[in-house]
Amino acid sequence: MPELNLILFGPPGAGKGTQADRLRIDFRLPFISTGDMLRANVKDGTELGKKAKEYMDQGELVPDELIVAMVAERLGEPDAQDGFILDGFPRTIDQAEALDKQLSELKRHITAAVLIEVPDDEVIRRLSGRRVCVKAGHNYHVEFDPPKRDGVCDQDGSRLIQRDDDKPDVIRNRLEVYHNQTEPLVDYYDQKGLMRRIDGTRSPDEVHDHIRAVIATLRLEDDV
Ligand code: AMP
């Protein structure tokens, strides 16, 4: 079976994390989220975490050189050799070029970039209601997916909080950053014939089914 190297794209709040979690189980691939990796660094107080935090709190992008080095190291680990799912990376053309360079040196390539499309007003609605648990980052939504007990994680009983970057001003900035810096990547991967679009306003199950169908088609094309 050819390796499956996937990129999940889309605005913040498109459901990339939710889908990646399912795909990780479906295809037994490591899920590499640069946002999660950075948040772990911030929590652990590493040098990288200290540098990244000020950008993250404003909804700005962390400088490319920090991110590219972090991802390059992660993709070199044994569990990523048969494929991976990237979430939140690349986010700039420079990052995409650095990724292509690293992969081509290893005679590997991206299989597809899956774009989960969601309009801005829906993003704002989703993110402003999102709550995460302090212990493991389990996600809830005050309106669409509330916990059984207000403010308490169903899975591990820890406290639910709002991420600093899910506050309304920061959400608006994240969206602006997405449109200005990340959206140009849609053309980048379109030109390479790798971009696949998914309607992200549908239910998580429908989005999941659609992505699986896209992957099945890719595999058929690869087998021909
Ligand atoms: P996320 O959870 O993917 O929305 O990421 C949260 C924050 O981490 C972003 O708003 C950025 O500040 C930072 N970040 C995550 N991935 C990247 C990336 N590929 N390039 C630059 N900054 C990033």
Side-chain angles (χ1 to χ4, degrees):
M1 193 71 88
E3 63 186 66
L4 191 59
N5 301 324
L6 282 186
I7 299 175
L8 287 185
F9 266 124
K16 301 185 294 290
T18 307
Q19 295 303 326
D21 221 28
R22 297 178 177 210
L23 298 171
R24 179 175 64 82
I25 296 165
D26 293 340
F27 298 104
R28 295 203 202 95
L29 291 176
F31 163 43
I32 301 174
S33 153
T34 44
D36 285 352
M37 290 169 82
L38 290 169
R39 279 184 289 278
N41 273 276
V42 170
K43 201 169 163 196
D44 295 344
T46 66
E47 274 312 305
L48 171 61
K50 281 180 203 149
K51 286 187 195 146
K53 186 173 182 344
E54 55 185 301
Y55 297 96
M56 296 171 74
D57 285 348
Q58 304 298 317
E60 296 290 334
L61 293 185
V62 174
D64 284 340
E65 62 273 18
L66 297 178
I67 297 288
V68 165
M70 179 180 86
V71 174
E73 197 182 313
R74 180 66 187 86
L75 290 181
E77 285 177 22
D79 67 337
Q81 302 319 304
D82 294 330
F84 52 77
I85 303 170
L86 278 172
D87 164 17
F89 181 92
R91 254 178 161 100
T92 63
I93 297 279
D94 281 350
Q95 291 180 12
E97 286 174 350
L99 176 64
D100 280 348
K101 184 160 173 281
Q102 183 190 2
L103 291 177
S104 73
E105 280 165 5
L106 300 167
K107 306 224 169 347
R108 300 176 67 181
H109 61 273
I110 293 298
T111 317
V114 174
L115 171 66
I116 306 180
E117 295 181 294
V118 175
D120 286 6
D121 52 352
E122 176 69 12
V123 165
I124 294 169
R125 221 153 59 98
R126 289 184 183 185
L127 291 187
S128 52
R130 176 158 77 176
R131 298 292 180 272
V132 297
C133 85
V134 287
K135 195 163 172 193
H138 296 125
N139 270 276
Y140 298 86
H141 191 282
V142 288
E143 198 184 328
F144 313 127
D145 182 22
K148 292 197 185 74
R149 271 182 58 206
D150 237 12
V152 181
C153 178
D154 292 348
Q155 298 191 54
D156 59 30
S158 73
R159 197 163 47 89
L160 298 183
I161 55 162
Q162 184 171 42
R163 266 168 55 172
D164 282 338
D165 61 354
D166 283 344
K167 309 250 156 88
D169 281 357
V170 184
I171 295 173
R172 270 189 286 278
N173 196 29
R174 287 167 73 195
L175 271 170
E176 208 178 301
V177 167
Y178 174 75
H179 291 306
N180 292 337
Q181 303 194 48
T182 306
E183 235 165 29
L185 288 177
V186 174
D187 268 353
Y188 181 91
Y189 286 105
D190 239 348
Q191 279 167 20
K192 292 177 188 283
L194 295 176
M195 187 52 83
R196 300 289 183 277
R197 290 178 161 79
I198 307 277
D199 177 358
T201 61
R202 291 169 175 265
S203 72
D205 283 347
E206 287 171 309
V207 173
H208 180 213
D209 287 346
H210 192 173
I211 298 178
R212 285 181 59 115
V214 163
I215 293 173
T217 313
L218 288 170
R219 291 207 140 151
L220 281 178
E221 284 167 2
D222 245 9
D223 283 345
V224 174

